[in-house]
Amino acid sequence: MLTEKTMERLRILAESAKYDVSCSSSGTVRSGKKGMVGNTVGGVGICHSFADDGRCVSLLKVMLTNYCKYDCAYCINRRSNDIPRATLSVSELEEITMEFYRRNYIEGLFLSSGIVRNPDYTMERLVAIVRDLRTIHHFNGYIHLKAIPGSSQELMAEAGRWADRMSVNIEIPKEESLKLLAPEKDHQSVFQPMKIIQQGVLENKEDRKKFRHAPRFVPAGQSTQMIVGATQESDKDILQMSSLLYSQPTLRRVYYSGYISVNTYDPRLPVLKQPPLVRENRLYQADWLMRFYHFDVDEIVDDRHANLDLEVDPKLAWALRHPEFFPVDINNAAYEHILRVPGIGTKSAWLIVNSRRYNRVTSYHLKKMGVVMKKAKYFITCGELTSSFSQPIVGINELHPERLRPLLVSKAQQKRAAAEQQLSLDFSEEE
């Protein structure tokens, strides 16, 4: 029975957990089993996220405790903050999870914690919760567990047996900036548990090749998070770190969290009226280009363009910088070249390549395939002499990028970009 006191502690801990965005609904499927409770059919189980079929799914996103021995400048739960503190026992959190599932409030659990006493003590309690949910309560839903940096390899290995996904947050892409804001942390303390999880996943894959029913180990892989706007790192610094992480075989997602001014009294941090949401969105778009569109990080950002353009998406920005690549002949170009056309996504590119085997693709067909012709028409050719059979087609090489850009940027986009640029601060020290 959930008492009023327990619910108040839950409210405090759920509030403390909301700043961690490194969760996802994709990557694993646990079908319903006889004698078990719950499932993750379709990879569902994440709070306020979307499954592959478009359904919005929910997750109990909570901390075991918001007491913490560390004093990280960017964290709401830093030990020097005067905020309401609470702790749930192992049995209480198990009871809450099962009760919420039975009431159809949630489809899974995202569990993290502040670090108390030492990393092993905290990690041991987290492992006890997920182990009991699986073995005693027979909970078969999605579980995402935050790994505690500095905990033992044995505890990491046991956690991986019960969790669907584990994550360790990098937070800041450069070591010197991390040491400035979180003196008790370093990148080694983050990369070490990530390597342990990676090793466990790879070993488990080999075991399952030999033994079909071998227990799975973190089947949904790893994720991590980086804070955007808390330090002076450029988008190039952030995306280069993401590219390095994606080269590892078990990392599924890097999340970008626009910095929220939760500790305004700390002079090491910028004071923002609102988080840099446009910049955060551009980083996600750039991340998508690296993962699904065959872009290298050096093509998206370089020394001349260290920060992403806030007015246009990264793909369009690249196209405007490389007019020599266009126009792309839709009926003859390779799939990888078609993917680089603004307004064409992976699904429509696949449809184009498969459809042109049977008939010549025209602008009419492209619209039916979902291509955003408002953008794409300046970068492609279909062998047609006219646009809408009335006026000659004018592409990027005829208009030139500087004249084409205003046609593709709406006033709303310009207004949002200008508002966010006004929020940028000078991190240099005052004399």
Side-chain angles (χ1 to χ4, degrees):
M1 186 70 179
L2 302 181
T3 64
E4 185 176 341
K5 186 177 180 181
T6 301
M7 293 304 296
E8 175 60 21
R9 281 184 287 163
L10 177 61
R11 183 193 66 78
I12 293 172
L13 293 169
E15 180 72 15
S16 296
K18 71 179 183 180
Y19 298 101
D20 195 327
V21 301
S22 60
C23 53
S24 169
S25 62
S26 61
T28 184
V29 173
R30 287 179 181 270
S31 56
K33 294 181 180 179
K34 185 176 181 180
M36 303 291 283
V37 178
N39 63 73
T40 61
V41 174
V44 302
I46 296 300
C47 182
H48 305 302
S49 187
F50 291 88
D52 291 339
D53 58 4
R55 289 177 298 157
C56 184
V57 294
S58 58
L59 161 81
L60 174 59
K61 188 175 184 179
V62 67
M63 298 182 74
L64 178 64
T65 179
N66 64 347
Y67 288 95
C68 190
K69 61 183 289 187
Y70 293 156
D71 199 35
C72 305
Y74 49 77
C75 183
I76 187 65
N77 301 308
R78 59 187 296 186
R79 67 169 181 264
S80 58
N81 268 0
D82 183 16
I83 62 170
R85 303 282 182 175
T87 301
L88 290 170
S89 68
V90 171
S91 59
E92 283 177 326
L93 211 151
E94 293 170 9
E95 180 186 1
I96 290 170
T97 302
M98 296 308 300
E99 187 67 23
F100 275 33
Y101 178 80
R102 293 188 182 99
R103 295 180 184 184
N104 202 30
Y105 293 164
I106 61 168
E107 296 169 89
L109 174 67
F110 179 93
L111 180 60
S112 61
S113 178
I115 300 175
V116 291
R117 294 193 187 180
N118 57 66
D120 276 351
Y121 174 80
T122 305
M123 192 68 190
E124 190 173 2
R125 299 181 73 200
L126 295 177
V127 171
I129 292 169
V130 295
R131 181 183 61 237
D132 290 351
L133 284 173
R134 296 296 194 206
T135 59
I136 297 176
H137 301 282
H138 304 293
F139 181 71
N140 201 44
Y142 183 94
I143 294 179
H144 183 148
L145 184 65
K146 290 302 295 294
I148 304 299
S151 54
S152 68
Q153 186 169 353
E154 291 75 19
L155 285 171
M156 289 285 186
E158 186 174 5
R161 292 178 55 196
W162 312 113
D164 292 287
R165 172 168 287 186
M166 294 180 69
S167 59
V168 191
N169 288 350
I170 292 176
E171 305 293 17
I172 308 295
K174 282 192 173 182
E175 179 88 24
E176 55 269 26
S177 296
L178 180 63
K179 294 295 289 183
L180 174 67
L181 299 184
E184 296 120 325
K185 292 184 178 179
D186 55 42
H187 276 170
Q188 181 59 32
S189 65
V190 177
F191 292 141
Q192 186 60 32
M194 293 179 78
K195 290 179 181 178
I196 294 174
I197 296 170
Q198 175 183 312
Q199 182 181 357
V201 171
L202 297 178
E203 289 178 354
N204 183 250
K205 285 184 178 180
E206 294 300 318
D207 291 341
R208 288 181 66 81
K209 289 179 182 178
K210 300 176 183 177
F211 309 101
R212 181 179 177 184
H213 298 290
R216 297 185 299 175
F217 186 93
V218 195
Q222 302 185 66
S223 63
T224 190
Q225 169 183 283
M226 281 189 279
I227 300 173
V228 179
T231 54
Q232 58 184 334
E233 275 81 8
S234 65
D235 294 335
K236 178 183 176 183
D237 297 324
I238 295 172
L239 290 173
Q240 282 181 335
M241 174 61 76
S242 298
S243 179
L244 176 65
L245 292 171
Y246 281 133
S247 66
Q248 307 303 313
T250 61
L251 190 98
R252 299 291 181 85
R253 285 293 304 273
V254 176
Y255 289 84
Y256 309 95
S257 177
Y259 171 68
I260 301 173
S261 296
V262 292
N263 300 321
T264 55
Y265 60 86
D266 196 316
R268 294 172 292 176
L269 295 168
V271 179
L272 303 178
K273 293 182 180 179
Q274 64 184 49
L277 298 179
V278 178
R279 184 183 178 192
E280 176 187 308
N281 183 50
R282 295 290 180 236
L283 284 168
Y284 276 115
Q285 291 173 329
D287 184 277
W288 207 258
L289 293 182
M290 292 191 297
R291 295 168 59 212
F292 300 110
Y293 285 77
H294 306 282
F295 277 78
D296 293 328
V297 63
D298 295 332
E299 295 179 291
I300 302 171
V301 285
D302 54 33
D303 292 334
R304 291 183 59 194
H305 307 89
N307 289 302
L308 297 171
D309 195 324
L310 297 182
E311 290 187 347
V312 298
D313 65 81
K315 189 177 180 183
L316 178 56
W318 178 87
L320 291 173
R321 294 199 303 267
H322 295 86
E324 71 281 357
F325 186 83
F326 303 99
V328 171
D329 188 344
I330 291 298
N331 287 288
N332 295 300
Y335 173 78
E336 292 76 12
H337 289 183
I338 295 174
L339 274 181
R340 294 188 172 232
V341 175
I344 297 182
T346 54
K347 183 178 179 180
S348 51
W350 181 86
L351 287 172
I352 290 169
V353 171
N354 282 274
S355 299
R356 70 190 186 186
R357 294 186 299 170
Y358 306 103
N359 196 8
R360 191 169 186 82
V361 177
T362 67
S363 58
Y364 172 80
H365 299 130
L366 294 177
K367 291 178 182 178
K368 291 293 184 180
M369 295 175 188
V371 173
V372 183
M373 291 299 293
K374 183 169 63 175
K375 287 184 181 180
K377 64 182 180 181
Y378 299 106
F379 302 95
I380 61 172
T381 177
C382 304
E384 298 174 352
L385 297 177
T386 60
S387 175
S388 302
F389 305 100
S390 59
Q391 296 179 354
I393 294 176
V394 180
I396 184 173
N397 290 298
E398 288 76 23
L399 278 175
H400 302 293
E402 60 274 11
R403 293 173 57 194
L404 177 58
R405 181 187 175 96
L407 300 177
L408 297 173
V409 180
S410 67
K411 290 184 178 180
Q413 288 173 313
Q414 293 176 357
K415 187 175 180 180
R416 285 195 297 267
E420 185 154 311
Q421 286 169 347
Q422 290 175 0
L423 294 173
S424 61
L425 297 178
D426 185 4
F427 284 88
S428 60
E429 296 182 0
E430 296 182 0
E431 296 182 356

